[in-house]
């Protein structure tokens, strides 16, 4: 795929592509020694690949015009054969689109020979499947990998901004390890069933959740829309810090209840915003947790809402944002940058698939939603599309970066669905900032670190609901990076900076969230489990 196509489809992906490989299933009408099992690929350069029961047997449906055929034995074990099919799919795709046409100095044809032979000799399908990861590891790129179907489904949730489940945002309480509800998604099945923030998830479909993390609960709570799951809950006297909707203690006893929830399609909002009174002016705070398909429209809505509330400066929080769709990053950059601004420089393979070329990505002519002073918060969890956006805003002199050095992922992947339900992530390009700063393995270095004025308690990168993080606004009053950003914005606007104590008193008056809720410093490991 040319670099421009990769960007047009979102870089990390917005369109899921079927691979080039077609499989012909085993012919069970003949004896194993005589039937021909073959995988047919389209022509790759001057090569075609066939897999048969015998190395001397050649598939009859090879790519037309192929001048060379590589032949391999195919296993009579269905699980091993399926792994061989997936291996050839992965090899084919990598051969066409991987960013390094030299394949890290390896002979890619030879890698296929060795991997298929090793897979054929494997005792099980699981062992044969491991040969795919072994083959890909030769590329020296940890981001080019095969992702199992279950993990791929989780990726689709984060990139689509949608999930089929019961609508629960769950946290593992650090002190007890219990799974507690931070909030039900408004209007979702759990919300309709009366589930409240602070309820403990005791069991799911009869399986006790003791010792479970969020991922384990997620596998059971998610499922096909229309199907049901039974959740047992405990409503205890212990409240979840920062969540005011819990019944106030004391309660005479723990109340247990069991609800049957019907799963449905839910939408997750990757943006949280609030307006903070700061002295005699308003600062708009926007937190973006990932770059899903919904990120740009939700960001547009947040900016417009904060402008209506009178905000004359902005803080964009990209901390712990692992990235997502590059297309979403470009669309968000448009909201902040005027004119034909350069966003990044891409390095990828040319049309012939051989040499590396540089391509500058520039926004089409347009206007920004606001020209108000902007500070961007980053840290070591800000990666990929977060670094693209932060680098573009910085190099175009639109924003000042505040925080810690970013993760350093300067690569773009395309994602290919494979026939077995898994997916192949392939690095198709490398990128630099508009000023040609190399991000990969180095990250972005902020203009200013966070002054030690308060705490650093920003949650992890999970989709946000207003219900779940209504108490976040008051926590921001003590966040050291937010305090630093507001001080910087004051200087930009020629305003005398208030003291830390004055700041804490003033920012309790929030336009969004619970004004009187005392800030809590407990950091939860949050996970969308629905």
């Amino acid at each position: 795929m040319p670099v421009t196509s990769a960007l047009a489809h979102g870089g990390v992906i917005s369109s899921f592509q079927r691979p080039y490989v077609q499989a012909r299933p085993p012919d069970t009408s003949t004896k194993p020694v005589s039937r021909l099992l073959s995988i047919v690929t389209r022509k790759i350069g001057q090569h075609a690949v066939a897999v048969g029961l015998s190395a001397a047997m050649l598939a009859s449906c090879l790519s037309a015009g192929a001048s060379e055929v590589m032949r391999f034995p195919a296993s009579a074990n269905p699980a091993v054969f399926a792994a061989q099919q997936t291996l050839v799919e992965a090899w084919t795709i990598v051969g066409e689109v991987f960013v390094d046409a030299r394949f890290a100095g390896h002979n890619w044809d030879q890698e296929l020979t060795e991997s298929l032979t090793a897979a054929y000799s494997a005792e099980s399908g699981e062992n044969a499947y491991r040969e795919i990861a072994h083959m890909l590891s030769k590329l020296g790129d940890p981001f080019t990998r095969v992702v199992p179907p279950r993990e791929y489904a989780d990726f689709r949730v984060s990139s689509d901004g949608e999930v089929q489940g019961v609508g629960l945002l769950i946290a593992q309480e650090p002190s007890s390890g219990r799974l507690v509800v931070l909030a039900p998604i408004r209007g979702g099945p759990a919300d309709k069933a009366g589930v409240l923030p602070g309820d403990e998830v005791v069991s799911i479909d009869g399986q006790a959740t003791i010792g479970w993390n969020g991922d384990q609960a997620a596998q059971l709570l998610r499922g096909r829309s229309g199907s049901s799951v039974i959740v047992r809950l405990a409503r205890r006297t212990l409240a979840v810090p920062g969540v005011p909707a819990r019944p106030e203690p004391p309660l005479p006893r723990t109340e247990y209840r069991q609800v049957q929830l019907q799963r449905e399609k839910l939408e997750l909002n990757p943006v949280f915003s609030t307006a903070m009174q700061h002295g005699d002016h308003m600062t708009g705070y926007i937190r973006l947790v990932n770059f899903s398909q919904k990120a740009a429209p939700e960001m547009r809505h947040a900016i417009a809402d904060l402008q209506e509330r009178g905000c004359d400066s902005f803080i964009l929080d990209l901390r712990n944002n692992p990235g997502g769709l590059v297309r979403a990053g470009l669309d968000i950059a448009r909201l902040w940058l005027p004119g034909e601004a350069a966003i990044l420089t891409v390095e990828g393979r040319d049309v012939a698939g051989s040499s590396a070329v540089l391509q500058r990505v520039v926004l089409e002519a347009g206007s920004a939603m606001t020209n108000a002073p902007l500070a961007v918060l980053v840290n070591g969890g800000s990666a990929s599309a977060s670094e693209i956006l932060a680098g573009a805003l910085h190099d175009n002199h639109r924003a000042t970066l505040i925080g810690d050095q970013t993760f350093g992922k300067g690569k773009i992947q395309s994602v290919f669905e494979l026939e077995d339900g898994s997916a192949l992530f392939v690095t198709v390009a490398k990128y630099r900032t508009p000023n040609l700063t190399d991000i990969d393995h180095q990250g972005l270095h902020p203009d200013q670190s966070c002054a030690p004025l308060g705490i650093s308690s920003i949650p992890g990168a999970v989709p946000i609901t207003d219900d779940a993080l209504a108490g976040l606004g008051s926590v921001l009053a003590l966040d050291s990076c937010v305090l630093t950003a507001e001080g910087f914005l004051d200087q930009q606007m020629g305003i005398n900076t208030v003291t830390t104590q004055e700041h804490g008193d003033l920012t309790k008056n929030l336009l969004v969230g619970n004004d009187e809720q005392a800030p809590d410093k407990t950091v939860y490991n949050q996970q969308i489990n629905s």
Side-chain angles (χ1 to χ4, degrees):
M1 171 187 295
V3 173
T4 52
S5 296
L7 290 174
H9 290 140
V12 171
I13 138 184
S14 61
S15 76
F16 297 83
Q17 307 169 52
R18 284 294 176 189
Y20 308 128
V21 180
Q22 296 178 329
R24 188 168 68 182
D27 179 3
T28 57
S29 63
T30 59
K31 295 180 180 181
V33 294
S34 62
R35 72 173 183 253
L36 180 65
L37 308 178
S38 64
I39 300 174
V40 182
T41 75
R42 75 181 223 183
K43 187 177 179 182
I44 306 296
Q46 293 299 313
H47 296 84
V49 181
V51 179
L53 272 176
S54 169
M57 301 179 70
L58 179 63
S60 60
C61 49
L62 292 175
S63 299
S67 61
E68 183 179 344
V69 174
M70 296 183 292
R71 296 176 292 180
F72 306 95
S75 176
N77 181 328
V80 173
F81 176 69
Q84 286 183 294
Q85 288 180 300
T86 304
L87 190 151
V88 176
E89 288 184 78
W91 175 87
T92 303
I93 296 167
V94 168
E96 286 219 338
V97 303
F98 185 61
V99 62
D100 181 7
R102 299 179 296 105
F103 306 104
H106 292 274
N107 184 317
W108 199 234
D109 289 350
Q110 183 63 31
E111 292 300 329
L112 177 66
T113 301
E114 295 177 1
S115 299
L116 272 180
T117 302
Y120 174 74
S121 303
E123 297 180 353
S124 66
E126 183 178 354
N127 289 341
Y129 200 86
R130 291 195 184 102
E131 293 300 326
I132 304 173
H134 180 68
M135 177 183 70
L136 296 176
S137 69
K138 304 292 184 65
L139 299 171
D141 175 31
F143 303 110
T144 296
R145 66 199 189 280
V146 168
V147 174
R150 181 171 291 181
E151 184 180 339
Y152 179 46
D154 292 340
F155 171 79
R156 291 294 300 267
V157 168
S158 64
S159 62
D160 291 350
E162 296 177 345
V163 62
Q164 295 186 60
V166 298
L168 282 178
L169 181 63
I170 292 180
Q172 186 179 50
E173 192 176 45
S175 59
S176 66
R178 295 194 300 260
L179 292 179
V180 295
V181 176
L182 280 181
I185 295 178
R186 185 175 298 149
D191 183 38
K192 295 174 183 176
V195 179
L196 296 177
D199 287 348
E200 178 189 349
V201 179
V202 178
S203 67
I204 303 173
D205 276 343
Q207 300 185 44
T209 62
I210 298 175
W212 283 18
N213 58 30
D215 289 333
Q216 290 171 292
Q219 301 306 325
L220 291 183
L221 290 174
R222 293 175 185 163
R224 179 177 49 83
S225 181
S227 61
S228 297
V229 60
I230 297 176
V231 180
R232 182 170 173 80
L233 302 163
R235 189 161 295 172
R236 302 180 184 275
T237 58
L238 287 176
V240 177
V243 180
R246 280 288 297 120
E248 292 298 324
L251 292 179
R253 65 180 186 277
T254 300
E255 174 188 350
Y256 291 91
R257 62 189 296 250
Q258 185 168 288
V259 293
Q260 181 170 343
L261 304 175
Q262 186 175 27
R263 300 179 180 96
E264 61 184 50
K265 189 174 181 180
L266 303 164
E267 293 189 357
L268 306 176
N269 187 351
V271 174
F272 169 81
S273 63
T274 186
M276 299 184 295
Q277 182 74 42
H278 184 53
D280 59 355
H281 70 103
M282 303 295 295
T283 298
Y285 171 89
I286 302 176
R287 172 156 168 76
L288 178 66
V289 299
N290 61 41
F291 289 80
S292 69
Q293 294 183 19
K294 300 182 183 301
E298 292 295 342
M299 178 71 69
R300 177 182 293 275
H301 174 76
I303 295 173
D305 177 67
L306 293 173
Q307 286 179 315
E308 290 181 3
R309 293 176 181 272
C311 292
D312 49 15
S313 62
F314 289 88
I315 299 172
L316 174 59
D317 195 344
L318 300 178
R319 288 176 294 175
N320 297 326
N321 183 326
L325 306 180
V326 175
R327 178 73 264 172
L330 300 182
D331 291 341
I332 291 174
R334 168 80 290 165
L335 303 178
W336 299 101
L337 289 170
E340 298 179 353
I343 303 301
L344 70 158
T345 301
V346 179
E347 176 184 338
R349 287 163 68 172
D350 60 16
V351 176
S354 54
S355 60
V357 295
L358 290 177
Q359 178 181 355
R360 194 170 177 84
V361 179
V362 179
L363 292 177
E364 296 180 357
S367 59
M369 287 189 67
T370 175
N371 294 316
L374 173 65
V376 177
L377 306 184
V378 295
N379 65 3
S382 307
S384 194
S386 288
E387 294 171 297
I388 291 178
L389 177 59
L393 294 174
H394 177 271
D395 286 4
N396 284 281
H397 308 288
R398 179 63 184 88
T400 294
L401 304 187
I402 296 174
D404 300 321
Q405 181 178 342
T406 62
F407 181 83
K409 181 178 180 289
K411 296 177 178 177
I412 298 174
Q413 287 74 45
S414 283
V415 181
F416 299 82
E417 290 181 345
L418 303 180
E419 293 294 334
D420 66 351
S422 62
L424 178 67
F425 286 58
V426 184
T427 296
V428 296
K430 300 178 182 179
Y431 67 84
R432 302 176 185 179
T433 70
N435 289 348
L436 299 181
T437 300
D438 190 356
I439 296 174
D440 204 36
H441 301 298
Q442 301 180 47
L444 296 172
H445 296 271
D447 302 297
Q448 187 173 342
S449 60
C450 299
L453 299 174
I455 63 173
S456 181
S457 59
I458 200 70
V462 296
I464 290 177
T465 67
D466 289 339
D467 297 326
L469 296 182
L472 177 60
S474 52
V475 176
L476 295 178
L478 297 179
D479 188 292
S480 60
C481 291
V482 172
L483 291 171
T484 302
E486 289 196 320
F488 165 78
L489 294 171
D490 283 347
Q491 295 176 10
Q492 291 290 299
M493 301 174 66
I495 300 174
N496 292 327
T497 304
V498 298
T499 66
T500 302
Q501 180 60 48
E502 291 171 334
H503 179 279
D505 294 338
L506 289 170
T507 51
K508 288 180 181 178
N509 181 23
L510 303 174
L511 295 183
V512 179
N514 295 275
D515 298 350
E516 301 302 321
Q517 178 62 34
D520 178 80
K521 301 181 183 181
T522 302
V523 179
Y524 278 89
N525 178 22
Q526 301 181 11
Q527 174 72 33
I528 283 289
N529 289 326
S530 53

